[in-house]
Short mmCIF file of all heavy atoms in Angstrom, two decimals:
data_model
loop_
_atom_site.label_atom_id
_atom_site.label_comp_id
_atom_site.label_asym_id
_atom_site.label_seq_id
_atom_site.Cartn_x
_atom_site.Cartn_y
_atom_site.Cartn_z
N ALA A 305 116.68 126.17 85.10
CA ALA A 305 117.40 125.41 84.08
C ALA A 305 116.60 124.18 83.63
O ALA A 305 116.48 123.89 82.41
CB ALA A 305 118.73 124.96 84.64
N GLY A 306 115.94 123.56 84.59
CA GLY A 306 115.08 122.39 84.22
C GLY A 306 113.93 122.82 83.36
O GLY A 306 113.54 122.07 82.42
N ASP A 307 113.29 123.95 83.71
CA ASP A 307 112.11 124.37 82.96
C ASP A 307 112.44 124.70 81.50
O ASP A 307 111.59 124.59 80.65
CB ASP A 307 111.50 125.62 83.63
CG ASP A 307 110.74 125.20 84.88
OD1 ASP A 307 110.42 124.05 85.04
OD2 ASP A 307 110.41 126.12 85.68
N ARG A 308 113.72 125.09 81.24
CA ARG A 308 114.07 125.38 79.84
C ARG A 308 114.80 124.18 79.22
O ARG A 308 115.55 124.37 78.20
CB ARG A 308 114.81 126.66 79.76
CG ARG A 308 116.09 126.73 80.58
CD ARG A 308 116.78 128.14 80.38
NE ARG A 308 118.00 128.23 81.14
CZ ARG A 308 118.20 129.11 82.06
NH1 ARG A 308 117.26 130.03 82.39
NH2 ARG A 308 119.36 129.17 82.68
N ASP A 309 114.66 123.02 79.84
CA ASP A 309 115.21 121.78 79.24
C ASP A 309 116.75 121.71 79.30
O ASP A 309 117.35 120.92 78.56
CB ASP A 309 114.72 121.54 77.77
CG ASP A 309 113.40 120.85 77.75
OD1 ASP A 309 112.96 120.32 78.84
OD2 ASP A 309 112.78 120.79 76.68
N GLU A 310 117.36 122.48 80.12
CA GLU A 310 118.81 122.46 80.23
C GLU A 310 119.10 121.61 81.47
O GLU A 310 119.59 122.12 82.51
CB GLU A 310 119.38 123.86 80.38
CG GLU A 310 119.20 124.68 79.06
CD GLU A 310 119.68 126.14 79.16
OE1 GLU A 310 120.14 126.50 80.31
OE2 GLU A 310 119.66 126.82 78.21
N HIS A 311 118.89 120.33 81.29
CA HIS A 311 118.93 119.42 82.50
C HIS A 311 120.36 119.17 82.96
O HIS A 311 120.53 118.88 84.22
CB HIS A 311 118.21 118.10 82.12
CG HIS A 311 116.78 118.32 81.78
ND1 HIS A 311 115.87 118.78 82.67
CD2 HIS A 311 116.11 118.17 80.59
CE1 HIS A 311 114.63 118.93 82.13
NE2 HIS A 311 114.80 118.56 80.81
N ALA A 312 121.33 119.16 82.12
CA ALA A 312 122.71 118.97 82.53
C ALA A 312 123.08 120.12 83.44
O ALA A 312 123.76 119.96 84.51
CB ALA A 312 123.60 118.88 81.43
N GLU A 313 122.71 121.34 83.07
CA GLU A 313 123.00 122.51 83.94
C GLU A 313 122.28 122.45 85.20
O GLU A 313 122.82 122.75 86.27
CB GLU A 313 122.63 123.83 83.15
CG GLU A 313 122.86 125.09 84.01
CD GLU A 313 122.28 126.30 83.29
OE1 GLU A 313 122.17 126.31 82.04
OE2 GLU A 313 121.97 127.33 84.00
N ALA A 314 121.00 122.03 85.17
CA ALA A 314 120.27 121.85 86.42
C ALA A 314 120.85 120.88 87.39
O ALA A 314 120.98 121.12 88.56
CB ALA A 314 118.78 121.41 86.09
N LEU A 315 121.36 119.78 86.79
CA LEU A 315 121.99 118.78 87.68
C LEU A 315 123.31 119.30 88.28
O LEU A 315 123.67 119.03 89.41
CB LEU A 315 122.22 117.53 86.88
CG LEU A 315 122.83 116.31 87.64
CD1 LEU A 315 121.90 115.94 88.87
CD2 LEU A 315 122.98 115.10 86.74
N ASP A 316 124.05 120.07 87.42
CA ASP A 316 125.30 120.63 87.92
C ASP A 316 125.04 121.52 89.17
O ASP A 316 125.79 121.45 90.14
CB ASP A 316 125.95 121.42 86.79
CG ASP A 316 127.32 122.00 87.26
OD1 ASP A 316 128.18 121.21 87.66
OD2 ASP A 316 127.47 123.28 87.29
N HIS A 317 123.99 122.34 89.04
CA HIS A 317 123.63 123.17 90.20
C HIS A 317 123.19 122.30 91.35
O HIS A 317 123.55 122.54 92.55
CB HIS A 317 122.44 124.09 89.79
CG HIS A 317 122.80 125.25 88.90
ND1 HIS A 317 123.85 126.18 89.28
CD2 HIS A 317 122.35 125.69 87.72
CE1 HIS A 317 123.93 127.09 88.30
NE2 HIS A 317 123.03 126.78 87.39
N ALA A 318 122.44 121.28 91.06
CA ALA A 318 121.84 120.44 92.17
C ALA A 318 122.94 119.74 92.91
O ALA A 318 122.87 119.60 94.19
CB ALA A 318 120.86 119.41 91.57
N LEU A 319 123.97 119.26 92.24
CA LEU A 319 125.01 118.51 92.89
C LEU A 319 125.90 119.36 93.84
O LEU A 319 126.62 118.89 94.66
CB LEU A 319 125.92 117.83 91.93
CG LEU A 319 125.21 116.71 91.11
CD1 LEU A 319 126.18 116.16 89.98
CD2 LEU A 319 124.76 115.59 91.94
N GLN A 320 125.75 120.68 93.73
CA GLN A 320 126.53 121.65 94.58
C GLN A 320 125.69 121.98 95.86
O GLN A 320 126.24 122.70 96.67
CB GLN A 320 126.85 122.92 93.84
CG GLN A 320 127.69 122.69 92.56
CD GLN A 320 127.98 123.94 91.78
OE1 GLN A 320 128.32 125.04 92.40
NE2 GLN A 320 127.73 123.94 90.53
N VAL A 321 124.49 121.48 95.96
CA VAL A 321 123.63 121.85 97.10
C VAL A 321 123.82 120.88 98.26
O VAL A 321 123.85 119.65 98.02
CB VAL A 321 122.17 121.93 96.63
CG1 VAL A 321 121.20 122.00 97.86
CG2 VAL A 321 121.93 123.07 95.70
N ARG A 322 123.87 121.44 99.46
CA ARG A 322 123.84 120.63 100.67
C ARG A 322 122.79 121.29 101.53
O ARG A 322 122.91 122.35 102.01
CB ARG A 322 125.24 120.67 101.40
CG ARG A 322 126.31 120.00 100.65
CD ARG A 322 126.11 118.52 100.49
NE ARG A 322 127.16 117.85 99.74
CZ ARG A 322 127.19 117.71 98.43
NH1 ARG A 322 126.15 118.15 97.67
NH2 ARG A 322 128.26 117.17 97.81
N LEU A 323 121.67 120.54 101.70
CA LEU A 323 120.56 121.05 102.47
C LEU A 323 120.77 120.98 103.98
O LEU A 323 121.18 119.90 104.45
CB LEU A 323 119.22 120.25 102.15
CG LEU A 323 118.76 120.44 100.68
CD1 LEU A 323 117.50 119.51 100.56
CD2 LEU A 323 118.42 121.87 100.38
N PRO A 324 120.56 122.02 104.74
CA PRO A 324 120.59 121.95 106.20
C PRO A 324 119.56 121.00 106.69
O PRO A 324 118.48 120.78 106.10
CB PRO A 324 120.29 123.38 106.66
CG PRO A 324 120.49 124.24 105.46
CD PRO A 324 120.17 123.37 104.28
N GLU A 325 119.84 120.39 107.85
CA GLU A 325 118.90 119.39 108.35
C GLU A 325 117.51 119.99 108.77
O GLU A 325 116.49 119.36 108.70
CB GLU A 325 119.47 118.71 109.65
CG GLU A 325 120.62 117.75 109.29
CD GLU A 325 121.07 117.01 110.55
OE1 GLU A 325 120.44 117.18 111.58
OE2 GLU A 325 122.09 116.28 110.43
N ASP A 326 117.55 121.30 109.09
CA ASP A 326 116.35 121.99 109.53
C ASP A 326 115.71 122.76 108.43
O ASP A 326 114.83 123.63 108.64
CB ASP A 326 116.57 122.89 110.73
CG ASP A 326 117.48 124.07 110.37
OD1 ASP A 326 118.17 123.96 109.32
OD2 ASP A 326 117.43 125.10 111.11
N TYR A 327 116.10 122.51 107.17
CA TYR A 327 115.47 123.23 106.02
C TYR A 327 114.03 122.96 105.93
O TYR A 327 113.60 121.81 106.09
CB TYR A 327 116.25 122.89 104.72
CG TYR A 327 116.17 124.01 103.70
CD1 TYR A 327 116.63 125.35 103.98
CD2 TYR A 327 115.65 123.76 102.42
CE1 TYR A 327 116.59 126.31 103.04
CE2 TYR A 327 115.55 124.78 101.49
CZ TYR A 327 116.05 126.08 101.74
OH TYR A 327 115.95 127.07 100.85
N PRO A 328 113.16 123.95 105.53
CA PRO A 328 111.78 123.68 105.42
C PRO A 328 111.41 122.48 104.55
O PRO A 328 111.96 122.38 103.44
CB PRO A 328 111.19 125.00 104.81
CG PRO A 328 112.15 126.03 105.25
CD PRO A 328 113.51 125.34 105.28
N PRO A 329 110.61 121.61 105.04
CA PRO A 329 110.34 120.32 104.30
C PRO A 329 109.85 120.51 102.86
O PRO A 329 110.27 119.79 101.96
CB PRO A 329 109.29 119.63 105.16
CG PRO A 329 109.48 120.11 106.51
CD PRO A 329 109.94 121.61 106.33
#
Side-chain angles (χ1 to χ4, degrees):
D307 284 346
R308 58 182 181 238
D309 274 348
E310 294 177 357
H311 299 294
E313 178 186 337
L315 184 57
D316 182 59
H317 286 305
L319 293 176
Q320 298 178 49
V321 168
R322 295 294 180 270
L323 295 177
E325 290 187 6
D326 66 341
Y327 204 58

